[in-house]
Amino acid sequence: MPTVLLSPKLRLARLNLAEKLLDLSEEFRGVYLPYPKELEKSLNAYARGIIDWRSIVEEVKTLMPGFARGWLWVEEPLIRSLRLIGKDVRCYGDSSLDLVSRSGKYLSLLFRARISKQIDLEEWRQLFRGEKVPLDENYVTVASRSVEGARNIDTWGLPYPPTEDMDQPTIEKISALIEYVFNYILPSKNLDDAYLRWLEEKKGVRKTELRRLLELVEKEDL
């Protein structure tokens, strides 16, 4: 049965995910990542030791102008683990152009809903159309939601943030997302800081060890 490793898009969660990939590395031939297809060639070259980390950083900056740093902050642990795993890499996410376009639409909907206090559910459903998650018995797939017909393994073990709960948007989910973005993400240093505050205030879960780990990784420089 194909394996799907589940993880929210957080740097700390990607650290856990990278460890799980390493543990399972003898069981698979390659990995599917929810990244732009344009990155596939470079990620394979990086996994084989042909190019260095700085080359990946520069390509991401070119493909995702404006939010490359935030994307790399989250994905760096997972990408760096590819060198240790040394397996084939396949990308199944939106193209970089589609990603940038959807990000612009996303921000527009967020601010419109925040200001008008109204939610156009159909527009949100179009934005968060479900992407097809590939399955292959010889590959491990990284995703943020369970996939039917696969062995789904949650590598995080804690509540996922509202940003990961938009596969089937509802008014309630969108309202929670808007609150999360404006009350937690925007005032925070990074996505992980926002998540840990939300986890404590909204879910009543205080993870001191994760806060300490975040303080350590925040000192790292891309």
Side-chain angles (χ1 to χ4, degrees):
M1 179 177 288
T3 298
V4 175
L5 296 184
L6 304 173
S7 166
K9 298 178 184 70
L10 300 166
R11 187 179 179 93
L12 296 178
R14 290 318 205 203
L15 283 168
N16 279 15
L17 174 60
E19 289 182 7
K20 189 63 176 180
L21 273 176
L22 287 169
D23 289 342
L24 297 177
S25 61
E26 297 302 318
E27 299 181 17
F28 59 87
R29 190 168 69 84
V31 56
Y32 278 107
L33 299 176
Y35 296 167
K37 186 73 174 178
E38 298 97 317
L39 281 176
E40 188 170 289
K41 182 177 180 180
S42 294
L43 290 176
N44 276 292
Y46 177 75
R48 297 185 178 99
I50 298 172
I51 64 174
D52 61 10
W53 170 249
R54 184 51 53 184
S55 298
I56 296 293
V57 171
E58 293 305 317
E59 180 163 6
V60 171
K61 287 180 178 179
T62 300
L63 291 174
M64 307 178 198
F67 60 94
R69 185 172 181 81
W71 190 88
L72 286 165
W73 159 261
V74 170
E75 303 299 340
E76 181 184 7
L78 178 54
I79 295 175
R80 284 191 182 274
S81 74
L82 299 177
R83 175 71 60 88
L84 299 175
I85 297 167
K87 304 285 186 173
D88 183 48
V89 179
R90 297 182 182 179
C91 299
Y92 70 89
D94 287 337
S95 70
S96 59
L97 288 177
D98 285 343
L99 188 60
V100 171
S101 175
R102 288 184 66 194
S103 296
K105 180 66 173 177
Y106 180 40
L107 290 174
S108 176
L109 288 178
L110 279 171
F111 279 97
R112 188 194 311 169
R114 174 77 166 182
I115 293 170
S116 69
K117 308 297 183 183
Q118 296 180 346
I119 294 172
D120 187 326
L121 191 55
E122 185 56 35
E123 282 193 292
W124 283 92
R125 285 174 174 166
Q126 290 179 10
L127 179 65
F128 287 99
R129 63 190 185 281
E131 62 185 0
K132 182 175 176 56
V133 178
L135 297 176
D136 186 316
E137 290 190 356
N138 296 311
Y139 281 71
V140 167
T141 300
V142 171
S144 57
R145 59 181 173 84
S146 297
V147 181
E148 187 176 353
R151 176 179 62 149
N152 296 283
I153 301 174
D154 182 15
T155 64
W156 185 229
L158 290 169
Y160 281 31
T163 47
E164 306 290 358
D165 191 25
M166 297 300 293
D167 186 41
Q168 295 180 328
T170 63
I171 297 295
E172 183 180 17
K173 289 181 179 181
I174 296 168
S175 297
L177 173 66
I178 292 169
E179 179 188 24
Y180 184 65
V181 169
F182 287 96
N183 292 357
Y184 293 93
I185 292 180
L186 291 183
S188 300
K189 294 179 290 184
N190 51 60
L191 289 177
D192 291 67
D193 179 49
Y195 170 77
L196 291 179
R197 291 198 303 110
W198 172 83
L199 188 66
E200 182 174 353
E201 294 177 14
K202 290 296 183 177
K203 300 296 181 179
V205 179
R206 182 178 179 85
K207 286 290 182 178
T208 304
E209 70 278 12
L210 287 181
R211 176 60 68 183
R212 290 172 180 164
L213 179 57
L214 178 59
E215 291 172 357
L216 289 176
V217 300
E218 284 174 339
K219 298 176 182 178
E220 298 176 359
D221 184 23
L222 292 176

